[in-house]
Amino acid sequence: MLKVVIIGNGMVGHHYVEQLADSPVTAKITVIGGEARPAYDRVHLSDYFAGSTPEDLALTTKEHYLDMGVDAHFGDMVAHIDRSNKIVITESGQAYGYDKLVLATGSYPFVPPVKGNNLPSCTVYRTIDDLGMIQTQADNAKIGVVVGGGLLGLEAANAVQNLGLETHVVEFAPGLMGVQLDVGGSNMLRRKIEALGVKVHTNKATEVIETNSEGKGRVVMHFADGGLLATDMIVFSAGIRPYDQLARDCGLTVGERGGITIDEYCKTSDPSIFAIGECALFKNKIYGLVAPGYRMAEAAASQLGSEKLSFQGADMSTKLKLLGVDVGSIGDAHGKQEGSVAYTFSDERIDVYKRLIVSADGKKLLGAVLVGDCSEYDTLLQYFLNGFDLPSDPETLILPTNAGDSPALGASALPLSATICSCHNVSKGDIVNTMDAGFCSLGEVKSETSAASGCGGCAALLKNIVDDEMAARGLAVDTAMCEHFNFTRQEMFHIIKVETIKSFEDLLHKHGTGRGCEVCKPTAGSILASLWNDYVLDEKHVGLQDTNDTFLANMQNNGTYSVVPRIAGGEITPDKLIVLGQVAKKYQLYTKITGGQRIDLFGARLQHLPAIWQELIEAGFETGHAYGKALRTVKSCVGSTWCRYGVQDSVAMALYVENRYKGLRSPHKLKSGVSGCTRECAEAQSKDFGIIATENGWNLYVGGNGGMKPRHAELFATDLDDKTLIKYIDRFLMFYVRTADRLQRTSVWMDNLEGGLDYLKQVVIEDSLGICNDLEAQMEAVVGSYQCEWKTTIEDPEKLKRFRQFVNSEAQDKAIIFVEERGQLRPAKEEERQQISATPA
């Protein structure tokens, strides 16, 4: 029997084992892993700090290898390869003979050769054990520095920040992610990351790290430009180097700058030895992503059988989320190809940067950079991978949807040869063939093809293809919310309601699988709030909210928050106006009157939020829910009280409506308006539900909104008295809450509602479904259980602990810099920040 020994059990080494074990080749497979545990998912390594255990990250187990007939050994590094006798010897002295040897030794983290890099405060970010060390050090630290501003460095920075430390990133190069991003993309990424409270230091060469005996920080970093940075912990994540020492020691050919030289069959200079993954050098290039490593593993495994594959390089495009920021890079992101032409879109208001690199004739996509919004990534990647001709105006591919028609590539437009999952080399044809074989659900397709089980970036496109193929076969399309719940939002709503489920943990235990995700968690959180109206920061709801809900305030682009108290109907007393002015002056907040007739206070630091809320509550204010998917405002004109054209008291009605529905959580935000006559000063017909006075009562409009895609509200009912008006609104809102999809505005819901306005009238007015009593009772329950979330929070000492800039320090975030403009403070622009930072104290 052919003896095959694999040295290394990372993701690529494990993939080789799976490929060989599933092939017709009869072989005795031996795995020798240097780490004490079998292969695990390094792509999602940072999930360890979000609660994932080593078992959650595991790709296999010792027992699974045993069941496969694989002889696996862990925690015993290979010390020497005896090529003459075809034996490998481990550090413990164990010897294993081989006919074919596979080097999947991977890489090790590069630690800059500076004095002090081995101090106890220094560590690396590479393995699960490294993460345990980082977590231990963070327990007694206030400041953490990550050396490296590349992909791995920013992953490490995310981990350090999640541990509650003041986080710094030190990068030798001029910008972040220099390999994947151009200058514009790098600058935008820096802008967004700094807004999240991470301090970024570029063009910094560390010369010495010394123990610090004075001031803050256990060690001090000395930079070549004379600068200093004190810190308690340093995490080196400045790139990788191929682990090729075994190959060097046994005389295999290696590259000038490292890496075991291989040919297109992944053979080294010794035909009995293969090298795959990050230790391998193909055409003078190291491939540092998992997808190319998988392709190498497949090519190497095939050499032992009859159908031989070859490795011809791999696409290094990537889409990921770094510190919560969407980043995408495709092909020639720097536009190095001669004659290439670039199209750039940058919007600093929403911190989005997009750039296309196209061929000189404008027909082919050569590369792309996306920062802040990767919604076009899948479409652009298909143009790039398949060589499709670009539209005549390529810029429409990255412009906002209201600036031109963006020609997305639908699932049906992709050829069977289109690569869908780069990690596992799955084409559209593979997916179609799998479905032809009877595996038609999304879960079955994932299981059979492994698509979307690597980085997960192709998950949305995979679902679109499966849905499209299901429809083409005349089968019911899988409308599951995500892989954890096989329900739509509407179905989940009914389950939670009927079974009186009060927590996500209970819902997951009874009806879900896995741990949940960024799709199902906030959806369930919204439904739980809509039904039971619990305090959103209750322990059983932790982890279901986004940043804004978590801190009951809207995060702004510089890491501060805005505070928006409720000003129902836009009516406010002089005394309350004075209080808002006093609070704004005391905490140096920028003030702005909003389009919804409220006053927004910008620039509040996290640790100041409870104190600001306390002063506002004492003056009679309450939360305005500007941070939640809930009722925001009910805008009004002065109506018949003051206006000579007014026919009804629009202010009184607006006050009643806003106070009735305040706190109602819904699939998306809700806005309303009440106009005292048909002159429509409150713009009620652009709201989710709008009310316009008539001589005989009120006209009710539904399904409108402003924004990027405005929609005029539709007239729902006319000349209603006060009681009937409120009854219809109760029913309308609760029917929307029950049946809308996640994050679906009322306007989109109306457009997708089968039967449209006429059907809605039948349900709400005629009670065609017989549910109106239930809808009204549900609304009464929500109205009766209202609480001001600010007030609940400041009355709970435990909840107040989360409102600190740093977990273990009272210090303020020095990265938050303001400048004065027009008599108020605003966030400093990048050039202003640099100027202020360079000014001596």
Side-chain angles (χ1 to χ4, degrees), residues 455-526:
C455 71
C458 63
L461 181 58
L462 175 66
K463 187 177 188 310
N464 288 341
I465 291 172
V466 172
D467 288 352
D468 186 71
E469 289 297 317
M470 291 278 281
R473 289 164 165 76
L475 301 173
V477 174
D478 181 8
T479 56
M481 179 183 304
C482 66
E483 61 188 281
H484 305 105
F485 289 98
N486 192 31
F487 314 112
T488 63
R489 181 194 176 276
Q490 184 175 349
E491 290 166 340
M492 179 181 281
F493 184 98
H494 287 298
I495 289 170
I496 294 174
K497 183 176 186 294
V498 170
E499 298 186 18
T500 321
I501 293 174
K502 296 294 184 74
S503 71
F504 180 77
E505 183 179 1
D506 191 18
L507 176 67
L508 192 65
H509 174 71
K510 291 181 176 179
H511 299 284
T513 60
R515 301 171 62 88
C517 65
E518 60 186 16
V519 173
C520 59
K521 284 184 176 180
T523 302
S526 172

Side-chain angles (χ1 to χ4, degrees), residues 175-226:
L176 301 174
M177 288 188 69
V179 174
Q180 292 87 3
L181 303 181
D182 67 338
V183 174
S186 178
N187 289 341
M188 185 63 78
L189 179 60
R190 176 174 185 160
R191 175 189 175 98
K192 291 181 75 69
I193 286 176
E194 288 183 329
L196 295 172
V198 177
K199 287 82 170 173
V200 178
H201 312 264
T202 52
N203 284 311
K204 291 290 184 182
T206 306
E207 290 193 329
V208 178
I209 301 170
E210 293 181 334
T211 301
N212 186 25
S213 58
E214 299 179 3
K216 67 177 184 178
R218 291 197 284 263
V219 295
V220 177
M221 303 174 70
H222 295 258
F223 300 124
D225 61 6

Side-chain angles (χ1 to χ4, degrees), residues 7-11 13-14 17 31-34 37-40 60 65 74 104:
I7 301 177
N9 193 232
M11 295 181 73
H14 173 64
V17 173
V31 170
I32 306 172
R37 55 175 54 86
Y40 54 87
T60 186
Y65 273 155
F74 300 101

Side-chain angles (χ1 to χ4, degrees), residues 10-12 35 37 40-46 48-49 57 104-111 123-134 151-153 155-156 159 235-243 276-279 286-290:
M11 295 181 73
V12 173
E35 289 188 60
R37 55 175 54 86
Y40 54 87
D41 185 357
R42 293 186 193 274
V43 174
H44 297 99
L45 192 61
S46 60
Y48 179 83
F49 292 115
L57 296 171
T105 49
S107 60
Y108 62 91
F110 170 68
V111 177
T123 185
V124 295
Y125 181 88
R126 186 64 177 164
T127 69
I128 287 180
D129 290 340
D130 293 336
L131 268 59
M133 180 68 71
I134 291 171
L151 192 156
L152 294 177
E155 268 194 24
V235 179
F236 290 106
S237 190
I240 57 172
R241 297 293 184 268
Y243 189 82
I276 57 177
E278 292 173 338
C279 68
I286 298 288
Y287 288 85
L289 296 178
V290 67

Side-chain angles (χ1 to χ4, degrees), residues 19-74:
Q19 294 298 307
L20 187 58
D22 288 341
S23 73
V25 176
T26 302
K28 182 181 186 304
I29 303 173
T30 301
V31 170
I32 306 172
E35 289 188 60
R37 55 175 54 86
Y40 54 87
D41 185 357
R42 293 186 193 274
V43 174
H44 297 99
L45 192 61
S46 60
D47 289 355
Y48 179 83
F49 292 115
S52 292
T53 65
E55 290 72 26
D56 295 328
L57 296 171
L59 297 176
T60 186
T61 63
K62 296 175 182 178
E63 293 74 21
H64 179 60
Y65 273 155
L66 189 62
D67 291 341
M68 293 172 63
V70 174
D71 184 24
H73 307 270
F74 300 101

